[in-house]
Amino acid sequence: MKAWSQKLIIAVFVVSAMLMWAGCSDNNDIIVSGNNTTQLSGIESYYPLTEGYQTTYSVHDIGGSDVTVVNRINGIDTTQGFTLICQTAQTGQTTDTGFFYVGADAILYFDYLSATPEKFLQTPLSNGSTWNRFPTIQDDFSGILPDWNKGNNSNSKTVPTDGSSQMTVVGSDFVTLSHGDSYSYAVKVVNTGSNGTQNAYWFVSGVGMVKYILGVSQNDPTTGNIVGELTSYEQF
């Protein structure tokens, strides 16, 4: 068993035991970081995970539906040297919950506490770099703890990654969003979507994910089947 897998198992077990009934907010064990996104460095600067950081996305589905998704970092619990970070995603009246573990060069995402982790981001974020969202892990995390889905019984992911495991950095773009905001040096990461088309995700240091497209249109690479755009970000 790999050392980092052992640590993850321990981290999940310890934090789950402490938070199983408390959720990821209004808990005496929650530590308020007090950090500002401009102070972040390394991998976390591209997806800020400080307590109270909130991002709002406008998400358009080619089928005609438009929703607003509000993501917020609600809890940071540090126990025995391990830190799991709780994020909620509010869509209308539905709240979903996910968890992050920040390593030296990667951010791992858990759909729920006993889920097999997904490698959400990994450095270096330089052109041509690749990583696998689901690295080869022999350990079955799902059998260690009972599933815990806070929010509802059909917990949805709080991050939009989908499709193939291999993620590839293809450079950086100047991104202009439909409501007028623009970002320089947005790192573009792509993978193959579940329907065979390309998915694309753009990350900006100090801000986070500013845009994503699931099923990029072959006729217009700025749009696709599902398009999410950042409309606001703030630190509470």
Side-chain angles (χ1 to χ4, degrees):
M1 181 183 295
K2 295 183 179 178
W4 72 272
S5 296
Q6 292 176 316
K7 291 182 178 180
L8 281 173
I9 293 173
I10 295 171
V12 171
F13 180 82
V14 171
V15 176
S16 177
M18 296 180 65
L19 300 183
M20 186 67 72
W21 299 108
C24 60
S25 61
D26 300 325
N27 187 299
N28 292 331
D29 295 321
I30 297 302
I31 299 171
V32 178
S33 65
N35 289 336
N36 185 285
T37 56
T38 58
Q39 297 174 315
L40 297 175
S41 61
I43 188 64
E44 198 178 345
S45 71
Y46 284 90
Y47 200 80
L49 293 169
T50 52
E51 176 96 13
Y53 189 68
Q54 180 172 296
T55 51
T56 302
Y57 294 88
S58 173
V59 182
H60 174 72
D61 190 306
I62 195 171
S65 63
D66 292 280
V67 297
T68 298
V69 180
V70 180
N71 289 348
R72 183 163 180 159
I73 305 302
N74 278 346
I76 301 176
D77 190 279
T78 302
T79 305
Q80 298 182 6
F82 297 100
T83 299
L84 286 184
I85 301 167
C86 172
Q87 180 187 62
T88 57
Q90 184 81 33
T91 307
Q93 299 299 313
T94 301
T95 301
D96 295 300
T97 305
F99 299 87
F100 295 92
Y101 176 85
V102 181
D105 65 348
I107 295 176
L108 303 184
Y109 171 78
F110 296 77
D111 191 15
Y112 46 90
L113 282 178
S114 58
T116 300
E118 167 185 342
K119 190 176 290 186
F120 179 60
L121 275 178
Q122 177 178 290
T123 57
L125 290 173
S126 54
N127 189 25
S129 296
T130 64
W131 72 87
N132 289 322
R133 290 171 54 217
F134 300 104
T136 301
I137 302 175
Q138 299 300 321
D139 311 291
D140 181 11
F141 287 90
S142 63
I144 295 173
L145 295 171
D147 290 357
W148 178 49
N149 295 317
K150 187 178 186 304
N152 54 59
N153 292 328
S154 57
N155 196 63
S156 296
K157 290 176 61 176
T158 62
V159 296
T161 47
D162 181 54
S164 65
S165 180
Q166 181 169 304
M167 309 291 282
T168 303
V169 180
V170 292
S172 61
D173 292 339
F174 182 87
V175 175
T176 300
L177 306 181
S178 59
H179 56 273
D181 287 351
S182 58
Y183 297 91
S184 302
Y185 305 107
V187 175
K188 183 179 181 181
V189 180
V190 301
N191 73 328
T192 301
S194 54
N195 61 356
T197 59
Q198 187 183 81
N199 296 335
Y201 319 84
W202 288 264
F203 299 86
V204 173
S205 180
V207 178
M209 184 184 295
V210 298
K211 182 176 181 176
Y212 63 88
I213 303 176
L214 304 182
V216 176
S217 170
Q218 295 183 351
N219 297 323
D220 182 0
T222 65
T223 189
N225 294 334
I226 298 177
V227 179
E229 295 186 328
L230 183 70
T231 56
S232 68
Y233 63 96
E234 49 194 327
Q235 180 74 50
F236 288 94

